[in-house]
C-alpha cells in the first residue's frame, strides 16, 4: 500500500522547501541553504546520498489549493493551485475539497481526487496544517504518516524576515501557534533548526523505515 507522508509544522519550518526537494530531487531548490564555507563539501555529499535514496523511493507531490497570493517564484499548478477568495468559496460550495481550513484570512484545501490519483501511482507527500493532518489521518488511517517539522519561534522569525514576509504576516504567524499542539500527536518529529542536509538525512531514514514495513 502506497503511503501518504504529511509534513506539518509552523511557518518557516521548511515544509514546502523540503516537500519540493523530495519530489524534484533538485539541488538548486536548496541553493540558499548550502554554505559557501568549509561545510559545503560535506553538505553536498550528504545531499547526494539523499538524492540517491530518493531515486529508489520516488514521491508524487499532491498539490493543494489556496486563496492567498503567490509568493515570489511560486507558480500555479506547481506550488499551489491559486484561486481568489470568491472562486475558492465557490469550490467549497460545490464540495470539491476533501478538507479545507482558513488560516491568516486565507483558505487552504485539498481535493480528494488529487489524493486518490497520486496514491494510485506511488508514495506521495503533502503539506498540511494540524487540522488537515488530523482529518487526513482519520480518513486514510495507517496509510498516512505524519511528520512534524519543529522550529523555535526566534528561528522562525529570522527565516520569515529572510524570505521578506511582511510585518503583519510575521506577527500573525508567530502569535497563532496552535499548530505546535500537534507536535505530540504526530508520528515523527524532526528538529529543523540544523543544517538542511542533516534534516533530510533524518527524514529519508524515516521514509525508508516506514515504507519497508
Amino acid at each position: 500500500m502506497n503511503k501518504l507522508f504529511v509534513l506539518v509544522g509552523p511557518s518557516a519550518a521548511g515544509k514546502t522547501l523540503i516537500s519540493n526537494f523530495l519530489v524534484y530531487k533538485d539541488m538548486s531548490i536548496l541553493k540558499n541553504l548550502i554554505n559557501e564555507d568549509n561545510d559545503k563539501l560535506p553538505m553536498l555529499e550528504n545531499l547526494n546520498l539523499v538524492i540517491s535514496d530518493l531515486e529508489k523511493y520516488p514521491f508524487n507531490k499532491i498539490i493543494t489549493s489556496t486563496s492567498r497570493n503567490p509568493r515570489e517564484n511560486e507558480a500555479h499548478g506547481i506550488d499551489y493551485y491559486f484561486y481568489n477568495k470568491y472562486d475558492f468559496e465557490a469550490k467549497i460550495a460545490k464540495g470539491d475539497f476533501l478538507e479545507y481550513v482558513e488560516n491568516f484570512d486565507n483558505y487552504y484545501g485539498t481535493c480528494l481526487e488529487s489524493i486518490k490519483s497520486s496514491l494510485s501511482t506511488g508514495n506521495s507527500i503533502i503539506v498540511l496544517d494540524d487540522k488537515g493532518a488530523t482529518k487526513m489521518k482519520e480518513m486514510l488511517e495507517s496509510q498516512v504518516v505524519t511528520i512534524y517539522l519543529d522550529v523555535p519561534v526566534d528561528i522562525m522569525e529570522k527565516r520569515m524576515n529572510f524570505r521578506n514576509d511582511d510585518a503583519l504576516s510575521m506577527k500573525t504567524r508567530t502569535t497563532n501557534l496552535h499548530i505546535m499542539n500537534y507536535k505530540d500527536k504526530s508520528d515523527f518529529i524532526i528538529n529543523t533548526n540544523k543544517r538542511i542536509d542533516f534534516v533530510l538525512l533524518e527524514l529519508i531514514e524515516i521514509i525508508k523505515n516506514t515504507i519497508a514495513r
Side-chain angles (χ1 to χ4, degrees), residues 75-90:
H76 179 78
I78 296 177
D79 299 285
Y80 286 93
Y81 295 116
F82 292 98
Y83 302 101
N84 61 42
K85 208 161 188 179
Y86 175 84
D87 288 339
F88 202 107
E89 289 174 344

Side-chain angles (χ1 to χ4, degrees), residues 61-84:
K61 181 181 180 181
I62 298 174
I63 302 172
T64 55
S65 303
T66 182
S67 65
R68 74 163 171 80
N69 293 325
R71 296 193 185 109
E72 185 179 358
N73 298 323
E74 287 185 329
H76 179 78
I78 296 177
D79 299 285
Y80 286 93
Y81 295 116
F82 292 98
Y83 302 101
N84 61 42

Side-chain angles (χ1 to χ4, degrees), residues 40-57:
K40 182 176 181 179
L41 184 58
M43 284 186 76
L44 292 175
E45 290 175 348
N46 285 337
L47 291 172
N48 280 317
L49 288 174
V50 172
I51 290 173
S52 178
D53 279 330
L54 287 172
E55 296 291 347
K56 304 170 194 172
Y57 302 96

Side-chain angles (χ1 to χ4, degrees), residues 7-20:
L7 300 185
V8 189
S11 296
K15 304 180 295 296
T16 301
L17 178 142
I18 289 171
S19 172
N20 286 338

Side-chain angles (χ1 to χ4, degrees), residues 194-211:
K194 54 191 172 188
R195 268 177 25 191
I196 188 63
D197 55 322
F198 294 147
V199 172
L200 289 165
L201 284 170
E202 187 174 348
L203 180 56
I204 200 68
E205 284 305 308
I206 290 172
I207 290 166
K208 291 194 296 184
N209 290 335
T210 303
I211 291 175

